[in-house]
C-alpha cells in the first residue's frame, strides 16, 4: 500500500512539473494545491487553509525541493529522529508559504491551523474516550493486543471525528473488514488508514515540539486565522 501511495504522489508531482513546463499556470496551480493537500494528509497533518491559498508557480528547482522534502518527511516519520523530521517539516511549511503573496503571514496561519486542529482532536478525544461502549475487558485487551486494529475512539482521534460518527461509519460498512468483538465493540483494521499508529504517535510528538517552540517564540495561536 505504501508503495502505491508513493507512486501516486510521485505522479502528482510529475504532473505539476509538466504543466509548469507548458506554462499553464491555472492547471499547474490547481494540481500543486491538490498535491500539497494530499502530502499533508499523508503526513497526518491537517491545515485547511491550503485550499484557499493562491500560489505563484515556482521554478523547477523549488518544485524538486518540495517534492524531495515531501518524500523525505513521510519516510522519516517512521524511520528517523524526531528532531530532524521536525526541522524538515518546518522547512516544508516555509517553502509552501514562500509561494504565496505574504509568506510570513501564510507561514503563521499554517502553523496556527495545524496546532488548532491538533488541539481540537485532543479535546474531542478526552470527551469520548470514556464512553462505556468502548470499555474493553482485560481478556479482550490481551486477545487483541497483537493485532493491528483501531478502536472507535482511536479512529475518531485519528480522523478528527466524533466517536459516534465513527460507529455509524462502521455500521454502514465504510471501513473494510471492521467487525464487532465478543464484547460488542467495533474493531477497525489498521490498513483502512494511510498511516500506522506508530507513525501517528511520532507525528503527535513532532507537534508537541512544534507547540513548545511556538510558545517559546511567543506568538501564533488559532485566533490569528
Amino acid at each position: 500500500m505504501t508503495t502505491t501511495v508513493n507512486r501516486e504522489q510521485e505522479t502528482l508531482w510529475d504532473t505539476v512539473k509538466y504543466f509548469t513546463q507548458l506554462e499553464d499556470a491555472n492547471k499547474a496551480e490547481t494540481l500543486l494545491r491538490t498535491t500539497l493537500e494530499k502530502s499533508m494528509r499523508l503526513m497526518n497533518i491537517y491545515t485547511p487553509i491550503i485550499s484557499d491559498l493562491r500560489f505563484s508557480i515556482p521554478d523547477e528547482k523549488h518544485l524538486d525541493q518540495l517534492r524531495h522534502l515531501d518524500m523525505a518527511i513521510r519516510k522519516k516519520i517512521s524511520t528517523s529522529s524526531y528532531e530532524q523530521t521536525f526541522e524538515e517539516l518546518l522547512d516544508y511549511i516555509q517553502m509552501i508559504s514562500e509561494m504565496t503573496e505574504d509568506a510570513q503571514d501564510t507561514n503563521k496561519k499554517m502553523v496556527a491551523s495545524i496546532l488548532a486542529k491538533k488541539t481540537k482532536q485532543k479535546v474531542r478525544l478526552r470527551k469520548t474516550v470514556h464512553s462505556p461502549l468502548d470499555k474493553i475487558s482485560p481478556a479482550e485487551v490481551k486477545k487483541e493486543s497483537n493485532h493491528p486494529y483501531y478502536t472507535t475512539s482511536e479512529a475518531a482521534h485519528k480522523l478528527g471525528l466524533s466517536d459516534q460518527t465513527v460507529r455509524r461509519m462502521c455500521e454502514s460498512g465504510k471501513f473494510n473488514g471492521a467487525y464487532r468483538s465478543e464484547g460488542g465493540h467495533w474493531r477497525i483494521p489498521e490498513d483502512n488508514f494511510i498511516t500506522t499508529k506508530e507513525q501517528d504517535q511520532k507525528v503527535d510528538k513532532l507537534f508537541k515540539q512544534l507547540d513548545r517552540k511556538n510558545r517559546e517564540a511567543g506568538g501564533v495561536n488559532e485566533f490569528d486565522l
Side-chain angles (χ1 to χ4, degrees):
M1 181 177 180
T2 301
T3 302
T4 301
V5 168
N6 288 340
R7 260 199 316 266
E8 291 174 350
Q9 193 68 357
E10 285 289 294
T11 299
L12 281 173
W13 283 114
D14 284 339
T15 309
V16 173
K17 180 180 284 190
Y18 172 74
F19 282 110
T20 299
Q21 292 169 339
L22 290 180
E23 297 184 353
D24 190 332
N26 289 334
K27 288 183 180 178
E29 182 186 10
T30 299
L31 280 165
L32 177 62
R33 186 179 295 108
T34 299
T35 303
L36 292 173
E37 286 179 328
K38 185 177 179 184
S39 169
M40 291 293 190
R41 289 199 302 272
L42 292 174
M43 296 176 195
N44 198 26
I45 298 171
Y46 302 90
T47 174
I49 72 167
I50 286 183
S51 60
D52 298 323
L53 293 175
R54 294 300 305 272
F55 293 104
S56 58
I57 304 303
D59 57 31
E60 290 187 27
K61 181 180 178 180
H62 193 97
L63 278 177
D64 286 339
Q65 289 174 335
L66 273 171
R67 176 182 191 157
H68 292 151
L69 268 178
D70 169 26
M71 299 297 290
I73 291 168
R74 289 191 286 112
K75 182 178 180 180
K76 288 175 182 175
I77 283 174
S78 60
T79 62
S80 293
S81 69
Y82 300 130
E83 189 67 29
Q84 185 179 4
T85 310
F86 172 71
E87 290 173 356
E88 291 186 342
L89 176 59
L90 290 179
D91 288 341
Y92 192 58
I93 293 173
Q94 178 62 38
M95 289 184 69
I96 293 173
S97 301
E98 288 171 357
M99 295 185 292
T100 64
E101 188 173 295
D102 188 338
Q104 184 175 359
D105 186 60
T106 300
N107 187 291
K108 182 173 71 171
K109 287 183 176 180
M110 284 186 67
V111 172
S113 69
I114 291 168
L115 293 175
K117 182 67 175 179
K118 286 290 180 181
T119 300
K120 289 174 184 176
Q121 285 179 342
K122 290 176 182 178
V123 170
R124 186 178 292 114
L125 178 63
R126 284 198 294 270
K127 289 180 178 179
T128 60
V129 72
H130 298 301
S131 168
L133 293 177
D134 266 344
K135 289 182 179 177
I136 306 172
S137 69
E140 287 181 285
V141 171
K142 183 177 180 180
K143 180 180 177 181
E144 300 189 5
S145 61
N146 294 323
H147 295 278
Y149 294 106
Y150 281 79
T151 65
T152 54
S153 289
E154 290 171 335
H157 173 54
K158 182 181 184 73
L159 299 173
L161 301 172
S162 70
D163 211 55
Q164 185 177 14
T165 297
V166 173
R167 289 197 200 96
R168 285 200 299 265
M169 292 172 71
C170 291
E171 291 166 357
S172 61
K174 299 295 185 183
F175 297 110
N176 292 330
Y179 71 96
R180 287 185 184 275
S181 67
E182 292 178 2
H185 312 297
W186 282 105
R187 297 291 175 264
I188 305 169
E190 190 178 70
D191 59 11
N192 279 278
F193 307 101
I194 292 172
T195 55
T196 65
K197 290 182 181 181
E198 290 74 18
Q199 289 172 322
D200 293 343
Q201 289 168 357
K202 291 182 178 182
V203 170
D204 282 340
K205 184 165 183 176
L206 288 177
F207 280 105
K208 286 180 182 178
Q209 290 179 321
L210 180 60
D211 191 27
R212 174 174 54 78
K213 287 183 181 290
N214 176 61
R215 291 174 187 275
E216 291 171 356
V220 179
N221 61 61
E222 61 186 285
F223 299 105
D224 291 322
L225 295 174

